[in-house]
């Protein structure tokens, strides 16, 4: 099986390769006259209200003609990016921010209405415009929850759902399992996982991989690419690339299955270097028996040898018994008093000194071993690196994003070493579960990076939560291994551009910039389309909702399929999960959501069939 070619980019939901398209009028919440939301649109400074404001907790005056707004809760970097994305798209944004957040002032400057509160309660949400009894322009149509704590996000989401059963809720979750269960609790809810969206982009940079396309489709994380890279079972064949110039799209059969572009749920391990090994118990024992232990043991051995010789000559004891007596004295096990009862005084004094010295040495030996086991941390001793690793990927920063990066790299079969300063970080536990070597230490420290084998590695991902730490790590890596491919996680866009342009330290990415477009698309209910290249042609992967009174209503699901133009992959009814083995003889109903793969023309015909007919108003149609 061939080794995958390393390329440049990766495509996944909400990032490069994916685009969004506005839904038909029937899918878009009412917006009376399409005017832009309040805050910063006329050069005026943004107004703040709520805690710390000067309007006595009352919402600002907004013209009745403005559309219903969006409420965003959070205080971190993602919050700043999402507010920027929403305001730039013309949304009226109300931001509920902790006043202690360092982004508080900046969010207000972006044009959002800011409520400075520390705890999001029902009364706070009501003041922000979430109330089913209020259909005015001040009411909210969507709620975005970006708190770093999943529990707080779920609590706020449940509270908002009780207040407005029709409210659209977009929630960012770190725990994907918990997020997958929220649809049953919240109804109209979109769950977005920042690590799941951002991690494939970092992996693509590390591997220079341009053959795989990642996408969130039909409630599942999917990957499209060459059949020999995609793990079985393959869900469908997207293209037969026997002829690279004119590949056959969505074929009914294939003459060369190994050359197909297919859709699956994961990638198979096609290449793994054997140069990275976890430090096992033998290496762990060697680390415990460090130089201090060896020095103390050598001194004790010298005392035992000297004591054995003196005991043999002074007390006229045979060598074996003399060794036994000397070892007992040095190790504080005690000696027989009658052995030295007739010895000279200086011999008795020497025996006492040897025994006291042995007590001190035993105490020191115990302290040093305990320090090696506890002070150096078992996670570092047992999970360290064995040997001299080479041609591997080093991941610096094992937070939620780093944990997901480790999972994808292991899934790809790539050798990887993790570096993390906090032994309780989520990625450290993931690394132990996946049996990945981990170095506990500062990723910007040269010795730490040397321990991770950076001088012989293929690429380095500096993805801690600190821009400066990532920049320092990248500079040290560049000194240790100028040929290593470096990717940094940086929030400051201007700093990232200058670093790439002037220092030449590699690529940089921002998790918040990768996540924000997906959240903005979910708020606007825009459909996400992911492009899958197939030779000189492309396919689109997307989800489409069947509208009431559309041509598709009443047809069998199989009738929507077009050979070479469109393929239905999965179906979602109003009640129930996504069905990836749909019955194609079932009737299509209004509200049915289908996941499809198609050409541009095939998808265009599907959109015409699933959209409700447009009825012209009294003004009629304008002649050209």
């Amino acid at each position: 099986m061939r080794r995958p070619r390393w390329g440049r980019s990766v495509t996944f939901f909400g990032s490069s390769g994916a685009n969004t398209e506005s839904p038909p009028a029937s899918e878009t919440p009412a917006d009376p006259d399409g005017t832009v939301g309040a805050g910063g649109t006329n050069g005026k400074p943004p107004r703040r209200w709520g805690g710390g404001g000067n309007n006595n907790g009352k919402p600002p005056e907004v013209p009745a003609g403005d559309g219903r707004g969006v409420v965003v809760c959070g205080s971190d970097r993602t919050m700043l990016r999402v507010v920027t994305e929403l305001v730039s798209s013309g949304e009226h944004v109300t931001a509920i921010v902790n006043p202690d957040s360092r982004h508080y002032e900046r969010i207000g400057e972006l044009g959002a209405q800011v409520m400075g509160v520390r705890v999001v309660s029902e009364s706070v949400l009501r003041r922000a415009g979430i109330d089913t009894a209020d259909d005015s322009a001040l009411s909210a149509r969507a709620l975005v929850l970006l708190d770093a704590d999943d529990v707080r996000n779920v609590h706020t989401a449940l509270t908002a759902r009780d207040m407005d059963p029709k409210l659209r809720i977009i929630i960012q979750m770190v725990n994907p399992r918990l997020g997958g269960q929220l649809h049953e609790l919240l109804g109209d809810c979109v769950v977005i996982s920042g690590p799941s969206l951002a991690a494939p982009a970092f992996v693509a940079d590390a591997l220079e991989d341009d053959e795989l396309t990642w996408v969130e489709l039909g409630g599942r994380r999917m990957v499209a690419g060459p059949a020999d890279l995609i793990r079985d079972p393959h869900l469908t064949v997207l293209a037969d690339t026997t002829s690279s110039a004119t590949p056959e799209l969505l074929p009914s059969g294939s003459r060369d299955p190994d050359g197909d572009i297919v859709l699956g749920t994961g990638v198979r391990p096609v290449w793994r270097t054997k140069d990275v090994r976890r430090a096992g118990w033998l290496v762990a024992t060697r680390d415990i028996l460090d130089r201090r232990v060896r020095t103390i043991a050598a001194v004790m051995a010298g005392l035992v040898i000297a004591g054995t010789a003196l005991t043999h000559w002074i007390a006229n004891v045979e060598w074996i018994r003399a060794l036994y007596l000397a070892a007992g004295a040095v190790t504080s096990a005690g000696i027989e008093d009658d052995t030295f009862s007739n010895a000279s005084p200086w011999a008795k004094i020497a025996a006492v000194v040897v025994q006291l010295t042995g007590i001190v040495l035993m105490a020191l030996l115990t302290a040093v071993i305990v320090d090696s086991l506890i002070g150096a941390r078992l996670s570092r001793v047992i999970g360290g690196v064995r040997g001299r690793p080479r041609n591997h990927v080093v991941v610096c920063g094992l937070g939620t994003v780093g944990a997901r990066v480790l999972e994808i790299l292991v899934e790809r079969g790539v050798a990887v070493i993790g570096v993390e300063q906090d032994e309780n970080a989520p990625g450290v536990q993931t690394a132990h579960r996946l049996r990945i070597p981990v170095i506990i230490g500062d990723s910007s420290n040269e010795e730490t990076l040397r321990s991770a084998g950076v001088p012989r590695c293929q690429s380095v991902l500096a993805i801690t939560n600190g821009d400066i730490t990532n920049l320092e790590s990248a500079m040290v890596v560049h000194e240790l291994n100028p040929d290593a491919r470096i990717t940094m996680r940086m929030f400051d866009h201007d700093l990232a551009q200058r670093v790439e342009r002037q220092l030449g330290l590699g690529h940089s990415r921002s998790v918040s910039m990768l996540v924000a477009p997906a959240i903005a698309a979910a708020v606007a209910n825009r459909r996400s389309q992911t492009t899958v290249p197939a030779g000189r042609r492309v396919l689109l992967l997307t989800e489409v909702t069947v509208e009431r009174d559309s041509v598709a209503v009443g047809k069998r699901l199989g009738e929507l399929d077009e050979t070479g133009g469109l393929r239905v992959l999965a179906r979602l009814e109003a009640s129930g999960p996504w069905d990836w083995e749909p019955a194609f003889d079932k009737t299509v109903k209004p509200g049915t959501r289908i996941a499809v793969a198609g050409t541009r023309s095939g998808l265009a015909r599907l959109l015409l069939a699933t959209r409700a007919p447009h009825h012209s108003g009294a003004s009629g149609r304008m002649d050209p």
Side-chain angles (χ1 to χ4, degrees):
M1 191 170 292
R2 68 185 177 86
R3 173 175 170 176
R5 179 170 60 88
W6 288 12
R8 295 183 178 180
S9 64
V10 73
T11 306
F12 61 101
F13 179 81
S15 71
S16 61
N19 56 76
T20 55
E21 177 181 320
S22 299
S26 59
E27 294 184 12
T28 307
D31 195 356
D33 55 7
T35 55
V36 177
T41 56
N42 297 321
K44 299 179 181 179
R47 292 171 289 177
R48 297 176 176 82
W49 51 289
N54 55 5
N55 293 340
N56 299 322
K58 297 180 181 180
E61 295 289 338
V62 180
D66 281 8
R68 300 175 66 195
V70 179
V71 178
V72 185
C73 301
S75 301
D76 60 1
R77 298 171 174 180
T78 304
M79 171 78 167
L80 186 60
R81 297 292 191 198
V82 169
V83 170
T84 302
E85 191 84 17
L86 293 174
V87 171
S88 63
S89 61
E91 297 284 359
H92 175 199
V93 179
T94 299
I96 302 179
V97 189
N98 189 321
D100 296 331
S101 171
R102 61 192 182 97
H103 303 296
Y104 179 79
E105 294 294 332
R106 177 57 181 155
I107 290 174
E109 294 172 357
L110 293 174
Q113 303 292 343
V114 180
M115 294 179 64
V117 297
R118 290 179 171 81
V119 178
V120 181
S121 61
E122 182 176 347
S123 60
V124 172
L125 294 176
R126 198 176 303 278
R127 280 189 293 152
I130 297 177
D131 190 350
T132 185
D134 187 3
D135 291 331
S136 67
L138 296 178
S139 63
R141 77 171 193 276
L143 171 66
V144 181
L145 301 174
L146 303 174
D147 199 293
D149 189 337
D150 285 353
V151 175
R152 283 200 292 263
N153 283 337
V154 172
H155 186 192
T156 305
L158 293 174
T159 302
R161 177 59 72 220
D162 288 339
M163 298 172 62
D164 187 353
K166 298 181 180 180
L167 181 70
R168 183 170 181 80
I169 299 177
I170 296 91
I171 180 170
Q172 179 179 252
M173 299 291 292
V174 176
N175 187 340
R177 295 183 180 178
L178 179 59
Q181 299 173 355
L182 285 181
H183 292 282
E184 300 178 1
L185 299 175
L186 299 176
D188 186 10
C189 170
V190 178
V191 179
I192 292 177
S193 173
S196 296
L197 287 176
F202 288 109
V203 172
D205 282 342
L207 303 184
E208 300 181 274
D209 197 347
D210 64 351
E211 292 187 297
L212 298 178
T213 300
W214 297 87
V215 58
E216 294 285 340
L217 186 69
R220 301 170 68 174
R221 179 173 170 270
M222 316 293 293
V223 57
D228 58 349
L229 299 183
I230 306 300
R231 184 178 61 210
D232 292 329
H234 299 157
L235 299 179
T236 189
V237 177
L238 298 178
D240 181 356
T241 57
T242 303
S243 172
S244 59
T246 57
E248 182 183 358
L249 302 182
L250 302 174
S252 56
S254 175
R255 291 167 291 177
D256 181 17
D258 291 337
D260 293 339
I261 295 178
V262 300
L263 182 67
T265 57
V267 294
R268 63 177 64 180
V270 294
W271 170 64
R272 176 184 289 275
T273 178
K274 301 298 183 182
D275 294 329
V276 175
R277 296 172 291 174
R278 282 169 53 90
W281 286 104
L282 291 177
V283 178
T285 304
R286 184 195 65 186
D287 291 340
I288 294 175
L289 302 179
D290 59 8
R291 185 174 61 181
R292 297 172 300 171
V293 175
R294 293 193 293 268
T295 301
I296 295 174
V299 173
M300 294 180 67
L303 285 176
V304 169
I305 293 173
T308 299
L310 292 175
T311 302
H312 172 72
W313 289 325
I314 294 174
N316 295 321
V317 178
E318 59 182 2
W319 284 105
I320 297 298
R321 182 169 176 76
L323 176 63
Y324 168 74
L325 293 176
V330 172
T331 59
S332 305
I335 60 175
E336 299 178 12
D337 294 336
D338 58 351
T339 303
F340 288 87
S341 58
N342 297 324
S344 60
W346 68 268
K348 294 180 179 180
I349 294 174
V352 171
V353 170
V354 168
Q355 191 167 15
L356 291 177
T357 305
I359 292 174
V360 173
L361 290 175
M362 284 300 298
L364 288 175
L365 183 63
T366 303
V368 168
I369 293 178
V370 170
D371 178 69
S372 298
L373 288 172
I374 299 177
R377 299 180 181 89
L378 280 174
S379 60
R380 179 177 181 178
V381 174
I382 299 176
V385 182
R386 182 181 177 185
R388 292 170 58 84
R390 62 182 68 251
N391 300 326
H392 58 287
V393 177
V394 178
V395 180
C396 300
L398 301 182
T400 54
V401 176
R404 186 67 189 122
V405 168
L406 292 182
E407 292 177 342
I408 297 177
L409 288 173
V410 170
E411 185 180 347
R412 295 293 308 274
V414 177
V416 57
I417 294 176
V419 178
E420 174 57 52
Q421 191 166 13
D422 181 9
E423 63 177 354
N424 296 317
V428 175
Q429 306 304 319
T430 300
H432 289 332
R433 174 173 56 84
L434 299 174
R435 300 188 60 80
I436 296 174
V438 178
I439 303 297
I440 302 297
D442 184 3
S443 62
S444 61
N445 182 274
E446 181 176 344
E447 289 303 318
T448 301
L449 295 176
R450 285 186 181 276
S451 300
V454 165
R456 299 172 300 280
C457 73
Q458 181 73 32
S459 59
V460 176
L461 298 177
I463 53 177
T464 70
N465 291 327
D467 287 3
I468 297 301
T469 301
N470 293 334
L471 179 58
E472 290 178 354
S473 301
M475 296 177 70
V476 175
V477 169
H478 188 67
E479 293 179 358
L480 296 177
N481 187 353
D483 297 329
R485 183 177 178 85
I486 303 173
T487 300
M488 296 171 288
R489 174 183 177 182
M490 304 197 74
F491 173 77
D492 192 316
H493 184 62
D494 181 68
L495 175 62
Q497 286 185 323
R498 296 181 184 276
V499 167
E500 288 189 26
R501 183 173 62 253
Q502 299 180 17
L503 300 183
L505 293 180
H507 297 83
S508 64
R509 288 187 179 272
S510 168
V511 174
S512 57
M513 292 189 70
L514 294 171
V515 174
I519 294 177
V523 169
N525 198 23
R526 295 196 298 264
R527 183 179 61 255
S528 173
Q529 294 181 173
T530 301
T531 303
V532 178
R536 297 171 59 89
R537 307 179 67 183
V538 296
L539 278 174
L540 300 177
L541 301 179
T542 188
E543 299 172 7
V544 176
T545 301
V546 179
E547 299 182 19
R548 187 178 301 277
D549 298 330
S550 64
V551 176
V553 174
K555 290 181 176 291
R556 289 183 294 107
L557 186 63
E559 295 183 52
L560 300 180
D561 264 8
E562 293 183 19
T563 302
L566 187 82
R567 179 167 297 166
V568 176
L569 304 175
R571 181 187 62 178
L572 174 67
E573 297 292 350
S575 59
W578 279 93
D579 181 10
W580 276 87
E581 295 181 355
F584 288 93
D585 58 346
K586 290 291 186 67
T587 302
V588 177
K589 302 177 182 178
T592 297
R593 193 167 181 85
I594 54 177
V596 299
T599 63
R600 295 188 184 278
S601 58
L603 181 59
R605 288 189 291 271
L606 177 67
L607 293 177
L608 289 176
T610 56
R611 287 178 175 175
H614 177 70
H615 299 286
S616 302
S619 59
R621 183 174 57 186
M622 294 183 63
D623 293 328

